[in-house]
Amino acid sequence: MEPTSRQKVSPFLDPGSITKPNSLAVIQLSRDNFVPVYLKQVDGEHDGYAEGAVLNTRFGSFPHSTLIGVPWGSQIRASKVDTGSRGRKRKRQGADDATEGASSEANESNKNQKNDQASAEGLNGTKQAVADSSGFVHILPPTPEIWTTSLPHRTQVVYTPDYSYVLYRLRAKPGSTIIEAGAGSGSFTHASVRAVYNGYPAEGKRTGKVISFEYNEDRYHKMQEEIGEHGLKGLVHLAHRNVYKDGFLLDGKSPEADAVFLDLPAPWEALHHLSRTKPKKDGEEQNGDAEWVSPLHPKKSAHLCTFSPCIEQVTKTVSAMRRLGWIDIEMVEIANRKLHTLRDRVGLNLQIDRGVNNSPRDVEEALTRLTEIEDRFRENARPRPAAEDTEMGEDDISGEAEGVSKPATNGKPKVEAPKPKFPWQDGRLITRGEPEIKTHTSYLVFATLPIEWSEEDEAAATQKYPVGEEQKQVVGTLDRKSRKEERRAELQNKSGNRKARKQERDAKIAEAMTTTTA
C-alpha cells in the first residue's frame, strides 16, 4: 500500500472546500430528493451535448462544467443546453442506390472538412453554458447520511437512525476493526468507515478498517466497484464468501476485530465462527485445537450486533449467543419519529390562512360573536317607516350630485378598525408528531464476549497490582471467623484500658487523701 501522503483521500472523509472533477457529488433537488453524480471534465461534445456531460432533472439541465470548481452547498442555476446531434443516427445503415451513396459520401467529406477546419481553429471545444430560468439545485458533499438516502437499493438498507445507534453500541472509534456480514447496498459500510478512520494503512501502522463479506456475486461486484470509485479501497476489505460455512478469517489469518455487525437471514448459523476457542459440539469433549484461529481480538472484549426483521430470528440468535458464552444480551428496536413545531393560531378575528384555526378561542369570544350576530339580526328585522325610505336630506342630495357616497352612521360613533397584530402574538407554540412512523421493522440484538482470563493473566495482574497487608482493612476481605476474632481483641483492649485508667484514678485519690491528713 502506498504511503498516506500519496493516497487520494475519499470524498466521504475529506471532500475539500470546492467540487473537483472525477469525484462524487450529491445534487439536492428538494428536501428529501438527492441524486448522486460523478462529475466529469469533458472537452468537446459528450453524448450529443455541445456543453459536455449534462445532468437532466425536472428543474432543468445542468452541465457538469457548471458543477465543477464551486464551493460545496452552492446554488446552481439551470442552463440552456445545445442538444446538437443528440438523438440522430451517426451512421447510415446503407445506401439504397448508387446516386444516394455518392451524394452521401460527398456530404460526409464536406462535413469532415468543416470539422477539421473547426478543430484547427479551436472551435470544437466545450460550448459555454448559458443560464436558464427553469430552476436551480444545490450541490452537496457526499456523506454517509446523504448516501443512504440516494444510493441504488440492492437490498434492504440500514438507515441512519439504526446504524448511528449500532456504531455507538459497538464502541466504534478511530482505529477499530469492524466485521460486517451482508454488505448489501453499502449503507452501513460507508458509515462504519467514517467511524473507524484514522488514516490510510501504511507499513508498520495499524489503522481502522472494515472487513465486509457479501454472499451474492452481483452485489459483490457492484459493491467492489463503488468502493473503488469512492476511494475506500485501502479502508474496506470486501470478500465474496458464505460466512455460514467459511467463517470470517482472511487468508487463514485473524483480522483481530473488536466489533461485529451481522445483517444476515440466519445469524445464529455464523456465531460459532465468532468464538475465542473452538466451540464444542454435542457429545464431543472440549479439546485444545492448535489449528483454530479466532477472528476476534485476543486482548479486547468483542461487541456484537445482529440486524433481524423477525422476532423468530431474534429468539434463535439469543439462544445461540447464550450457548456460546456471550453476555449482556439485549434487544432494541429503533423507532424514528419526527416532531413538527408550529404556532397554534386560534380565533375568530384571524384571517382564514394556512395553519389558522378559525374557531372561538374561548367561551367569552364565542358569546361575543353570538351577541353581534343577534344584534345584526334584530337590526335587519326591525320595520322601517315609509318616510325613511323616500325622503332624502340635503346632505344626501348634495352627496349624490357630487358622485360621493357617505357611509351611514345611524347616529352611532364611528368604530376604528382593530390594529393589526404580529403573528407571534396570536396563539401558542405546539409540537405535533408524525401521524405515521416512517420506518421499517428491525430488531437489534447486542451482546458482549469478554476476553478469556488465564492463570498467566492472573499472575501478571497480581504482580502488577500486589495485594498487601493494607488491603485487610477493606470491607469484605475477611471471613466471618476472622471478623469475630478481630472484634473480640478490640473489645478486650478497650476493657483493659478502662481498668488501667480506674487504677490510676484510685491511686491519685489515695495520694491526695494522704497529703491532706498530713
Side-chain angles (χ1 to χ4, degrees):
M1 179 60 64
E2 297 181 356
T4 308
S5 58
R6 299 181 182 179
Q7 178 69 44
K8 182 180 178 181
V9 181
S10 170
F12 282 85
L13 305 173
D14 185 13
S17 58
I18 62 174
T19 59
K20 301 175 183 178
N22 303 322
S23 182
L24 176 66
V26 180
I27 303 299
Q28 184 184 23
L29 302 180
S30 59
R31 181 175 182 179
D32 297 322
N33 190 2
F34 301 90
V35 178
V37 177
Y38 293 94
L39 303 179
K40 300 178 181 179
Q41 186 73 49
V42 180
D43 295 332
E45 184 179 308
H46 178 77
D47 197 21
Y49 289 106
E51 290 80 5
V54 176
L55 171 67
N56 292 309
T57 68
R58 59 186 176 131
F59 299 106
S61 300
F62 300 87
H64 287 202
S65 58
T66 63
L67 303 176
I68 297 175
V70 298
W72 293 111
S74 300
Q75 182 187 94
I76 310 298
R77 297 194 64 83
S79 301
K80 299 178 181 179
V81 298
D82 182 8
T83 57
S85 59
R86 181 177 176 83
R88 303 177 184 176
K89 294 182 180 179
R90 298 295 186 88
K91 297 182 179 180
R92 292 179 177 270
Q93 298 179 355
D96 296 334
D97 51 351
T99 305
E100 292 181 358
S103 61
S104 62
E105 291 178 0
N107 294 334
E108 190 70 21
S109 62
N110 293 334
K111 185 183 298 183
N112 292 336
Q113 291 178 0
K114 292 181 180 179
N115 290 337
D116 294 339
Q117 183 179 1
S119 178
E121 296 175 358
L123 300 177
N124 64 336
T126 305
K127 184 178 179 181
Q128 186 69 24
V130 180
D132 195 5
S133 60
S134 57
F136 62 87
V137 295
H138 290 87
I139 186 166
L140 304 176
T143 62
E145 292 78 14
I146 298 178
W147 179 250
T148 299
T149 61
S150 61
L151 57 79
H153 286 216
R154 298 183 288 270
T155 58
Q156 178 63 55
V157 175
V158 181
Y159 289 97
T160 301
D162 291 321
Y163 69 63
S164 59
Y165 184 74
V166 169
L167 292 173
Y168 158 71
R169 291 292 300 269
L170 292 181
R171 277 74 166 175
K173 59 183 181 298
S176 301
T177 300
I178 298 180
I179 288 179
E180 176 196 15
S185 300
S187 173
F188 183 82
T189 307
H190 287 76
S192 57
V193 166
R194 184 183 61 180
V196 304
Y197 173 73
N198 64 340
Y200 281 82
E203 185 177 356
K205 180 182 178 182
R206 179 181 175 87
T207 58
K209 198 167 187 179
V210 177
I211 315 298
S212 183
F213 299 93
E214 177 55 49
Y215 174 71
N216 185 277
E217 187 174 0
D218 294 336
R219 292 198 295 265
Y220 162 75
H221 290 296
K222 186 62 179 177
M223 185 69 183
Q224 196 173 33
E225 180 182 353
E226 289 181 352
I227 292 299
E229 292 175 346
H230 299 170
L232 300 174
K233 268 193 174 181
L235 304 174
V236 178
H237 182 92
L238 189 64
H240 177 220
R241 183 183 303 178
N242 181 4
V243 295
Y244 297 149
K245 179 180 178 183
D246 301 328
F248 303 93
L249 301 181
L250 300 178
D251 299 329
K253 299 181 180 179
S254 173
E256 296 186 354
D258 46 18
V260 182
F261 178 69
L262 301 181
D263 187 5
L264 302 172
W268 60 90
E269 295 184 6
L271 287 178
H272 65 279
H273 295 290
L274 299 170
S275 300
R276 302 288 184 186
T277 57
K278 185 176 181 179
K280 181 180 66 174
K281 297 182 180 179
D282 297 337
E284 180 183 352
E285 295 183 358
Q286 181 71 25
N287 297 322
D289 193 349
E291 298 181 356
W292 171 260
V293 179
S294 174
L296 305 178
H297 199 288
K299 300 298 181 182
K300 295 182 180 179
S301 297
H303 301 278
L304 170 68
C305 176
T306 63
F307 185 94
S308 303
C310 299
I311 198 66
E312 292 81 7
Q313 296 171 313
V314 173
T315 303
K316 294 182 179 180
T317 302
V318 171
S319 300
M321 286 179 176
R322 290 173 176 169
R323 289 195 305 268
L324 295 173
W326 293 83
I327 61 174
D328 297 337
I329 302 175
E330 181 183 6
M331 188 192 77
V332 178
E333 181 182 7
I334 306 297
N336 184 38
R337 185 184 183 188
K338 293 182 180 179
L339 298 177
H340 302 283
T341 302
L342 65 154
R343 189 173 295 278
D344 188 16
R345 301 178 59 194
V346 181
L348 297 174
N349 60 331
L350 301 176
Q351 297 180 357
I352 303 178
D353 297 330
R354 183 178 181 181
V356 173
N357 186 1
N358 195 250
S359 59
R361 186 190 306 273
D362 47 25
V363 177
E364 183 179 356
E365 186 176 5
L367 293 176
T368 303
R369 183 60 181 271
L370 290 175
T371 304
E372 293 177 358
I373 294 175
E374 290 291 337
D375 293 343
R376 192 180 307 134
F377 176 77
R378 293 192 187 95
E379 183 68 22
N380 295 332
R382 182 175 62 85
R384 299 181 180 179
E388 186 175 342
D389 296 335
T390 56
E391 294 182 358
M392 299 179 63
E394 296 181 358
D395 295 339
D396 298 334
I397 297 175
S398 61
E400 286 189 0
E402 295 177 0
V404 179
S405 60
K406 295 184 178 181
T409 59
N410 296 328
K412 297 182 180 180
K414 184 178 180 181
V415 180
E416 296 182 358
K419 296 181 180 180
K421 293 184 179 181
F422 295 101
W424 58 83
Q425 294 177 339
D426 297 320
R428 58 182 179 178
L429 287 176
I430 61 174
T431 302
R432 294 176 182 174
E434 291 180 317
E436 297 180 359
I437 300 178
K438 301 177 182 178
T439 183
H440 60 280
T441 304
S442 59
Y443 301 109
L444 305 174
V445 181
F446 297 94
T448 303
L449 187 63
I451 60 176
E452 293 186 343
W453 195 253
S454 61
E455 295 181 358
E456 291 79 6
D457 297 331
E458 181 69 24
T462 304
Q463 184 178 2
K464 186 175 181 180
Y465 305 103
V467 179
E469 295 295 330
E470 68 279 359
Q471 297 296 329
K472 294 183 179 180
Q473 302 299 326
V474 179
V475 177
T477 58
L478 300 177
D479 56 2
R480 185 176 181 181
K481 184 177 180 180
S482 300
R483 288 198 302 272
K484 282 186 176 181
E485 293 178 355
E486 184 179 0
R487 181 61 177 170
R488 187 179 297 111
E490 184 179 353
L491 293 175
Q492 186 175 1
N493 292 334
K494 287 184 178 180
S495 61
N497 295 335
R498 186 167 56 251
K499 290 179 180 180
R501 289 193 300 270
K502 184 178 180 181
Q503 292 176 0
E504 183 180 358
R505 187 172 60 252
D506 293 341
K508 288 182 179 180
I509 293 173
E511 183 180 359
M513 291 178 64
T514 304
T515 304
T516 304
T517 304

